């Protein structure tokens, strides 16, 4: 979360265009005001996938499929993605975007309540070397135990939008009443990540804040 707009714009200007398909999805999402990952976060995400070469990726928060397809373009040819979404209008668009991509057979879209799906996956002893968390921010601490159980040793959990446009540093009394629960839960989540004996976590001011946690 770089506050200097000129610096942010400069960094973004260096980004090469993505594939034709990704650029189309990006333009359509921005035009429809669908929240997708910021360019700086996308660059970091691609670097981690290239570096780790995970055979299985779990994404919580599909939206219209932009970040899943972004990862698919740089993941190993034998890898697969399981991505979760609960909002019907976005599910319909994501399904279309996946069908029209070369990765349709390697992206599994699970629809429904993320908490229920994560619990099901965790109790089935599923393992994912890379997990990208970008969904309902107030649920991060609720989902954390299941996410941690599905992360093998050396696996990475990347949590997006953790700084809430900088409001995370404010007193809860400055935050609008309707936002206070999410604000406190995100603070609790970050504390949990940093103090977990099972994780090594770095909090980065990239985009709207990213926490990168590696399981020991």
């Amino acid at each position: 979360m770089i506050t200097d707009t000129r610096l942010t714009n400069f960094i973004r200007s260096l980004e090469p265009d993505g594939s034709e398909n990704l650029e189309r999805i990006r333009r359509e999402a921005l035009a429809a005001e669908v929240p997708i990952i910021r360019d700086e976060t996308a660059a970091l995400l691609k670097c981690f996938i290239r570096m780790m070469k995970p055979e299985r990726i779990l994404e919580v928060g599909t939206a219209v499929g932009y970040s899943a397809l972004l990862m698919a373009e740089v993941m190993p040819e034998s890898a697969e993605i399981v991505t979760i979404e609960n909002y019907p209008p976005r599910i319909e668009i994501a399904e279309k975007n996946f069908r029209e991509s070369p990765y349709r057979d390697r992206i599994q879209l699970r629809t429904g309540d993320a908490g229920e799906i994560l619990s099901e996956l965790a109790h089935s002893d599923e393992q994912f070397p890379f997990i990208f968390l970008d969904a309902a921010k107030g649920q991060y601490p609720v989902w954390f135990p299941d996410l941690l159980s599905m992360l093998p040793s050396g696996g990475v959990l990347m949590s997006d939008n953790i700084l809430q446009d900088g409001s995370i540093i404010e007193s809860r009394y400055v935050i609008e009443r309707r936002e206070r629960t999410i604000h406190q839960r995100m603070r609790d989540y970050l504390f949990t990540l940093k103090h977990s004996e099972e994780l090594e976590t770095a909090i980065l001011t990239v985009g709207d804040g990213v926490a990168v946690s590696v399981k020991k």
Side-chain angles (χ1 to χ4, degrees):
M1 193 197 76
I2 301 172
T3 55
D4 187 314
T5 303
R6 290 179 62 202
L7 184 55
T8 300
N9 289 339
F10 171 71
I11 292 171
R12 290 177 177 174
S13 74
L14 297 173
E15 286 295 322
D17 290 339
S19 66
E20 183 177 338
N21 189 43
L22 270 182
E23 286 301 308
R24 174 188 61 78
I25 295 170
R26 181 177 180 276
R27 288 194 304 270
E28 291 175 356
L30 293 175
E33 298 185 342
V34 175
I36 58 174
I37 58 173
R38 303 185 190 190
D39 293 347
E40 315 91 284
T41 308
L44 182 66
L45 183 60
K46 288 192 293 183
C47 281
F48 267 95
I49 300 300
R50 288 279 192 194
M51 177 175 61
M52 294 186 62
K53 298 178 175 57
E55 287 296 323
R56 301 193 78 204
I57 298 170
L58 173 63
E59 177 185 53
V60 188
T62 312
V64 295
Y66 177 73
S67 50
L69 288 168
L70 185 87
M71 291 188 285
E73 287 193 350
V74 296
M75 71 184 183
E77 291 185 2
S78 56
E80 65 172 358
I81 297 174
V82 175
T83 182
I84 302 170
E85 181 57 54
N86 191 37
Y87 186 48
R90 291 179 186 165
I91 289 170
E92 183 178 351
I93 298 172
E95 288 176 334
K96 175 179 179 293
N97 288 333
F98 293 154
R99 280 197 310 270
E100 295 177 352
S101 81
Y103 312 102
R104 64 183 70 85
D105 296 329
R106 294 197 285 143
I107 300 177
Q108 178 191 152
L109 176 59
R110 298 285 300 269
T111 61
D113 181 79
E116 294 177 3
I117 295 171
L118 290 174
S119 178
E120 177 187 330
L121 291 171
H123 284 85
S124 299
D125 296 322
E126 299 276 4
Q127 295 283 282
F128 296 90
F130 189 88
I131 300 175
F132 182 52
L133 180 58
D134 185 20
K137 308 305 174 279
Q139 297 302 307
Y140 282 19
V142 178
W143 297 333
F144 177 70
D146 284 334
L147 295 172
L148 185 61
S149 73
M150 289 187 282
L151 202 63
S153 177
V156 168
L157 166 63
M158 182 179 290
S159 308
D160 196 17
N161 297 324
I162 56 165
L163 299 183
Q164 302 181 325
D165 287 321
S167 67
I168 195 71
I169 66 173
E170 303 293 348
S171 162
R172 70 185 302 272
Y173 299 106
V174 177
I175 303 299
E176 291 186 32
R177 187 177 298 274
R178 69 175 185 272
E179 300 292 335
R180 287 180 183 174
T181 298
I182 293 176
H183 178 264
Q184 186 58 53
R185 286 187 177 182
M186 184 56 74
R187 282 188 161 216
D188 292 343
Y189 178 69
L190 295 177
F191 185 90
T192 298
L193 291 181
K194 290 296 291 184
H195 291 80
S196 170
E197 295 183 355
E198 296 183 67
L199 297 174
E200 194 69 54
T201 296
I203 297 175
L204 310 175
T205 56
V206 173
D208 189 25
V210 175
V212 178
S213 305
V214 183
K215 194 166 187 180
K216 299 176 183 176

